Amino acid sequence: QVQLVESGGGLVQPGGSLRLSCAASGFSLDYYSIGWFRQTPGKEREGVSCLNGSDNSTDYADSAKGRFTISRDNVKNTVYLQMNNLKPEDTAVYYCATDPTCEDYERGSRWREFGSWGQGTQVTVSS
């Protein structure tokens, strides 16, 4: 069964850090592009970061630049999102998903073209 499972969310104070994990089962992430997305109630899902499967290049939404880092561990078949200096506006359910390319991952409804969505992990940033 092809599946992605997110973990690592939780409650953290502003300025704190979390590392989210996206573990794949049933397939290898090696050559896929992996995107991290987040969603809050009443808002459309938005792209946060993406790692290109073709060359391992990375991209970040403006809201994530300088604070988040996406990385891949091929041995563990897992992609990570290290989130530092978290802010209350980062509060959301975070999801990972796959696509052949990261192109336009953060634009409009492009996220709908990504697949193998996991169940998400809740991140709450609050004092």
Side-chain angles (χ1 to χ4, degrees):
Q1 182 181 0
V2 175
Q3 189 176 9
L4 292 175
V5 178
E6 301 94 339
S7 62
L11 173 64
V12 64
Q13 292 186 342
S17 298
L18 285 173
R19 189 178 77 159
L20 305 185
S21 298
C22 171
S25 62
F27 72 106
S28 173
L29 288 175
D30 285 9
Y31 301 106
Y32 282 92
S33 295
I34 306 297
W36 278 100
F37 301 83
R38 66 187 182 187
Q39 189 169 23
T40 54
K43 289 190 175 182
E44 184 159 21
R45 200 164 292 189
E46 63 174 0
V48 174
S49 181
C50 197
L51 189 152
N52 280 289
S54 60
D55 61 4
N56 279 329
S57 61
T58 59
D59 194 80
Y60 300 92
D62 287 343
S63 60
K65 286 178 181 175
R67 302 188 299 127
F68 294 3
T69 304
I70 190 171
S71 62
R72 181 201 302 267
D73 185 330
N74 289 339
V75 173
K76 294 183 178 180
N77 208 24
T78 299
V79 172
Y80 302 99
L81 185 68
Q82 177 67 43
M83 305 189 296
N84 298 328
N85 190 22
L86 283 161
K87 304 175 181 180
E89 51 263 44
D90 294 318
T91 295
V93 178
Y94 283 71
Y95 302 88
C96 59
T98 64
D99 195 80
T101 174
C102 285
E103 185 175 1
D104 293 331
Y105 77 98
E106 59 175 314
R107 292 180 184 259
S109 297
R110 170 73 169 94
W111 64 269
R112 297 181 184 274
E113 300 175 12
F114 279 69
S116 303
W117 293 91
Q119 82 292 344
T121 185
Q122 175 72 48
V123 171
T124 303
V125 184
S126 175
S127 55

